Amino acid sequence: MIVFGDTAIDRLLQWLRASGEPKDVRELLVQYLEILSKLVMEESE
Amino acid sequence: MTATTGTLADEVWRLMTAQGILFAVDAPIRQTLQNLVEFFVARWQRDPESVRAELEAALAADDRFTREEVNGQVIFVTSRQGRYVPRDTTDTHTFKQRLYEPEKPLPIDDLSVVVSTSRPAITTVEPVYISDYWIEQARLIAAAKAAEQAPVTEEPAPVAAASERAPVIAEQPVVEAVPPVDAEPAQVAPVIAETAEVIAEPVVAAEPVEAAPAPAQVAPAERSTILVVDGMAIDLSRSPAEIVAKYGPALERILAERLEQDPLRRIVSFGRMHYPEASLISFGKNDLRKIRDYILERNEPLLDTEIIADLYYHNPRQSDYEGFRFSLNYRLSREKDFEFVGVEGANVWSTKGLPAIGSKRVKAAEMGQLTAYLIEGFDDSLADQSVESIVTSGSVTRLLTFFEWEFGVLPLDAALAALLPKPVFPDQRSAVLRFESPQHFSTYLVEVRYPTGNRGGWLQGLEDFFREHLVPGALITISRSEAVNVFTITYEEASETTGRLLTLDEKKNKFAFANMTFYCAVDEDLLPEQNRYGKLRNLKAFPMGERRKAEMILEHVCETMGERGGSREQPVYRVAFADIFMAYNVLRPASRSFLLALLANNPAIAPDPAAEGVYLFTPPQVETEAEVAEEEEDLPIQPALRRRSGRYIEEDE
């Protein structure tokens, strides 16, 4: 079950922390979609 | 070990521990055999080979030394405490593991068992760490429950048949083909949905299958990539750029809202920017006091970048600059002593105690009511310029009315709203911009008051500029500059002109005409010159609180500016719309459409059938003395009558 805005937020947080600077919500969204996309692919494999 | 070798080993050990005198007692001290040989050969004046053999034998026999060979070179290792023993870095503490991953976990229905949702006695928001272990547990239990509820009774059958009967939960593979991206969510079976109860729609089976006690065999198949978010079907197999292009603003809003609702508050936001809460730089009370004092010292709202540069000497080239900047803004936004008065891209902060920007003669509450007509739909500022042209050209041109000139305010109409930046936060009250006059090399702080509820917005702070360089009727142009919070204000220059123009004598609180010289191009219809608009001096300078009564002001304007006709008992005032517009905008701001609506709705005012754009105002009849006396016969004793039939009442005194 994937809940948008809840699932894999820790991964998003990890990315944000690694980037070292604040990010615009648009960048955050693009990154989050990439994470979710990877997650779906991983689970399907 | 012989006495000789023991002595030699002791000497070597003393040498090496002296060499590593500042090392930790268990730290390795290394020395090559070659160095040791050279040292003793020089001291003993003997053959190197015999010294080497003696040293090797002595050190090999001593427990305090360990022999190593690195790249063919012999090295002896020891430590200050004797034989070198490598440090064991294995963490023997298992509390963390036992706490988060117990062997026999308590049964949980959902995460609320792990995390209390009740409000703590102290209202401080404390972050609560939920281990991934518990999140995984909750997910597994939900999946198990869903599986239990699923009526899986059919026999092993072909894939299509199995999927026909057995409802498949969200996490399970589904035999359905991936539906097209743009398909309606109602038509496809959204497999990855926001609820665990989402079940794949059954596929039409080739033949009916008899129920049997055998467990369901769900054939592995391709998993759907459709995610349903607030009714939007998002195909995660598409590139993020494509998804953002289609659903960007909605998804941004949902993501920001959900991050805001995160009980752990792991990611915090300021405007559109987001940052990990754990990475925030802390600002204490001393910092806040220092910032507040500095803003007060500068006597105007300041940019965050100025505060950082002047108080913290932080350089934008430093790697942590943006994080520091975000932390400062985030911290100030949570302090009630500071107010954000910036715009997107320029974070400006004001604090309590700063002088007000603009005229104090008009209060904010009064101005909000005077400009309420803009909210009520009587904004015709886009009649001459479209929003597109304003956005493209980056400038707005408008004529100045007497009220705007006198008080240095401009109603925030649709044209100006299209030019000026929008508020960053939904509850943002105002923004402070800098207006530069390239013709006079002067700068003015202008406060934009955004509309709230049924009150309109306006700009204030241009009083000095208007009074020094312009007259009512002047054509001004406001343009964007490269900086988002800096605008330019210009006007069309003209040759020197002198005229008797309307002014407000504040001491007497009366309108009067005075000689004025100006150097700007004006619209003659809005220039309050004595020759053309001599009756303006008869306007009553009502208190601002009274001026919000639009109908009362309209009747006063009609009576003052109109040509009196009719009879003595029933006068009729004939007044042109241009005069009404001019005089009305002396007392308060109004648009043409607002005035036309007022005129149309006033029962005492009617258009003159003989002339277009002219109105006839018939004031309501004043009661005569006889009528008043008749009415008052039955009333208790009243105060003495005034002349002109009025009574003295407390308010008059």
Side-chain angles (χ1 to χ4, degrees):
Chain A
M1 183 173 62
I2 289 179
V3 179
F4 186 83
D6 185 32
T7 304
I9 286 295
D10 48 345
R11 287 201 202 177
L12 183 67
L13 177 68
Q14 209 173 0
W15 169 80
L16 189 59
R17 198 175 288 172
S19 74
E21 59 179 20
K23 295 286 182 191
D24 187 89
V25 66
R26 172 60 60 99
E27 278 182 82
L28 211 64
L29 175 64
V30 170
Q31 185 61 31
Y32 187 52
L33 289 171
E34 267 179 23
I35 290 169
L36 290 185
S37 178
K38 277 182 194 166
L39 195 70
V40 170
M41 298 306 166
E42 280 169 13
E43 285 187 9
S44 62
E45 283 171 9
Chain B
M1 185 173 61
T2 64
T4 313
T5 56
T7 311
L8 181 57
D10 286 342
E11 193 167 354
V12 171
W13 189 76
R14 278 197 300 274
L15 275 171
M16 287 178 69
T17 50
Q19 188 185 15
I21 191 74
L22 296 177
F23 286 22
V25 288
D26 60 342
I29 304 169
R30 289 185 167 83
Q31 189 54 269
T32 61
L33 177 63
Q34 183 61 33
N35 285 344
L36 293 171
V37 168
E38 285 172 10
F39 175 79
F40 284 106
V41 164
R43 178 185 277 191
W44 295 339
Q45 296 296 311
R46 281 173 51 192
D47 174 29
E49 287 307 314
S50 64
V51 171
R52 176 184 294 273
E54 199 173 327
L55 273 172
E56 277 215 82
L59 300 184
D62 198 302
D63 288 345
R64 292 171 294 182
F65 295 94
T66 312
R67 190 176 188 278
E68 288 178 358
E69 274 200 37
V70 179
N71 298 330
Q73 195 170 33
V74 178
I75 295 171
F76 284 96
V77 188
T78 185
S79 75
R80 284 173 53 208
Q81 66 182 5
R83 186 181 181 81
Y84 169 65
V85 180
R87 199 177 289 172
D88 184 11
T89 55
T90 311
D91 187 4
T92 53
H93 297 281
T94 58
F95 177 69
K96 187 179 171 186
Q97 190 185 358
R98 283 181 286 120
L99 179 66
Y100 290 128
E101 297 175 16
E103 282 179 23
K104 294 175 183 175
L106 294 171
I108 55 165
D109 291 331
D110 54 44
L111 276 179
S112 62
V113 179
V114 182
V115 181
S116 168
T117 54
S118 63
R119 183 181 284 273
I122 302 170
T123 53
T124 315
V125 178
E126 294 288 346
V128 182
Y129 173 72
I130 306 174
S131 157
D132 290 342
Y133 171 81
W134 287 111
I135 293 171
E136 183 66 14
Q137 287 293 314
R139 195 182 73 82
L140 291 174
I141 288 166
K145 275 189 178 178
E148 279 172 18
Q149 288 165 6
V152 280
T153 50
E154 64 264 62
E155 287 178 341
V159 171
S163 64
E164 173 210 354
R165 284 297 180 90
V168 182
I169 61 165
E171 283 85 358
Q172 298 298 323
V174 182
V175 292
E176 282 181 319
V178 178
V181 178
D182 292 331
E184 291 295 320
Q187 293 169 358
V188 299
V191 178
I192 310 163
E194 290 194 288
T195 54
E197 289 76 29
V198 174
I199 290 168
E201 282 181 5
V203 180
V204 177
E207 55 185 25
V209 180
E210 290 297 320
Q217 295 284 324
V218 180
E222 196 178 342
R223 184 185 171 85
S224 171
T225 54
I226 302 293
L227 175 67
V228 180
V229 183
D230 276 14
M232 292 177 285
I234 296 161
D235 187 352
L236 291 173
S237 65
R238 289 183 124 190
S239 75
E242 283 179 85
I243 299 170
V244 166
K246 191 168 184 184
Y247 302 109
L251 288 180
E252 280 174 14
R253 181 182 51 77
I254 295 166
L255 181 61
E257 276 175 10
R258 297 199 176 168
L259 290 176
E260 190 79 17
Q261 290 161 3
D262 179 11
L264 305 180
R265 302 279 296 144
R266 287 170 287 183
I267 298 175
V268 292
S269 67
F270 176 75
R272 288 181 61 86
M273 304 307 281
H274 288 71
Y275 199 54
E277 202 268 344
S279 305
L280 284 176
I281 292 161
S282 162
F283 287 91
K285 284 185 178 176
N286 278 339
D287 290 300
L288 297 176
R289 188 166 55 237
K290 194 164 66 173
I291 294 166
R292 184 164 181 265
D293 288 347
Y294 186 60
I295 294 175
L296 291 175
E297 186 188 324
R298 293 279 301 270
N299 209 30
E300 64 176 41
L302 292 181
L303 279 165
D304 57 348
T305 49
E306 285 180 278
I307 295 170
I308 293 171
D310 297 349
L311 291 181
Y312 294 95
Y313 310 110
H314 240 63
N315 192 319
R317 286 192 294 271
Q318 285 176 260
S319 60
D320 65 338
Y321 182 80
E322 286 303 324
F324 190 91
R325 188 180 176 197
F326 180 93
S327 304
L328 177 79
N329 286 311
Y330 180 72
R331 181 75 168 91
L332 294 184
S333 70
R334 299 172 73 83
E335 285 299 318
K336 64 178 189 312
D337 281 354
F338 294 89
E339 185 185 359
F340 181 80
V341 290
V343 294
E344 192 73 53
N347 301 322
V348 184
W349 290 96
S350 177
T351 187
K352 280 181 182 173
L354 275 185
I357 295 170
S359 172
K360 291 178 184 171
R361 293 184 293 162
V362 194
K363 292 176 187 164
E366 294 164 348
M367 209 42 223
Q369 287 177 330
L370 293 181
T371 52
Y373 68 93
L374 296 169
I375 305 295
E376 290 162 5
F378 300 110
D379 186 350
D380 51 16
S381 60
L382 294 176
D384 300 328
Q385 305 173 84
S386 67
V387 171
E388 290 75 25
S389 70
I390 292 169
V391 171
T392 310
S393 66
S395 64
V396 166
T397 301
R398 55 177 292 137
L399 290 164
L400 209 57
T401 66
F402 181 87
F403 185 90
E404 294 164 2
W405 173 81
E406 174 68 29
F407 297 101
V409 298
L410 292 173
L412 183 60
D413 52 30
L416 277 175
L419 178 73
L420 300 176
K422 308 281 178 290
V424 179
F425 300 101
D427 58 346
Q428 190 178 339
R429 203 170 53 121
S430 63
V432 174
L433 306 175
R434 197 172 286 279
F435 274 41
E436 292 176 345
S437 165
Q439 289 159 304
H440 300 282
F441 305 104
S442 51
T443 303
Y444 304 88
L445 280 183
V446 172
E447 185 175 13
V448 182
R449 298 295 295 251
Y450 293 109
T452 50
N454 58 356
R455 296 186 178 187
W458 71 96
L459 281 71
Q460 59 188 30
L462 291 165
E463 195 178 4
D464 292 343
F465 179 74
F466 290 167
R467 299 293 288 269
E468 280 177 32
H469 308 298
L470 303 174
V471 289
L475 193 70
I476 59 168
T477 301
I478 298 171
S479 310
R480 280 198 203 107
S481 73
E482 286 181 5
V484 287
N485 62 329
V486 179
F487 288 76
T488 59
I489 182 164
T490 55
Y491 61 90
E492 198 177 330
E493 293 180 27
S495 56
E496 179 182 333
T497 312
T498 304
R500 279 187 73 76
L501 304 182
L502 188 74
T503 56
L504 175 63
D505 186 340
E506 286 194 63
K507 284 184 182 171
K508 295 179 183 171
N509 198 32
K510 281 183 178 176
F511 291 104
F513 285 97
N515 286 332
M516 292 175 76
T517 303
F518 53 94
Y519 303 86
C520 58
V522 294
D523 182 341
E524 297 293 334
D525 289 340
L526 282 178
L527 183 69
E529 212 172 9
Q530 189 172 16
N531 292 343
R532 184 167 174 184
Y533 296 111
K535 289 179 180 176
L536 286 176
R537 66 183 300 170
N538 299 326
L539 284 173
K540 189 178 172 187
F542 291 100
M544 281 298 159
E546 289 286 299
R547 296 191 196 191
R548 64 189 171 86
K549 298 170 184 170
E551 291 81 8
M552 186 273 284
I553 295 292
L554 179 68
E555 289 178 3
H556 174 67
V557 162
C558 290
E559 199 172 332
T560 308
M561 300 299 289
E563 289 175 27
R564 185 172 172 145
S567 62
R568 185 171 175 276
E569 293 77 27
Q570 185 57 74
V572 176
Y573 296 91
R574 190 170 182 275
V575 57
F577 180 77
D579 291 349
I580 296 174
F581 183 75
M582 174 74 203
Y584 202 92
N585 272 287
V586 168
L587 294 176
R588 53 167 288 174
S591 64
R592 283 185 167 77
S593 58
F594 179 59
L595 279 181
L596 287 171
L598 280 180
L599 290 166
N601 292 328
N602 195 318
I605 299 173
D608 185 354
E612 198 179 340
V614 178
Y615 290 85
L616 299 172
F617 170 54
T618 312
Q621 263 193 319
V622 181
E623 291 175 336
T624 61
E625 273 186 44
E627 285 169 341
V628 172
E630 218 171 88
E631 283 175 10
E632 290 173 352
E633 271 179 2
D634 300 331
L635 294 174
I637 298 167
Q638 293 288 328
L641 286 173
R642 282 167 71 184
R643 277 192 299 174
R644 297 189 185 178
S645 78
R647 286 187 184 281
Y648 286 106
I649 54 174
E650 283 178 7
E651 282 179 10
D652 291 336
E653 292 157 8

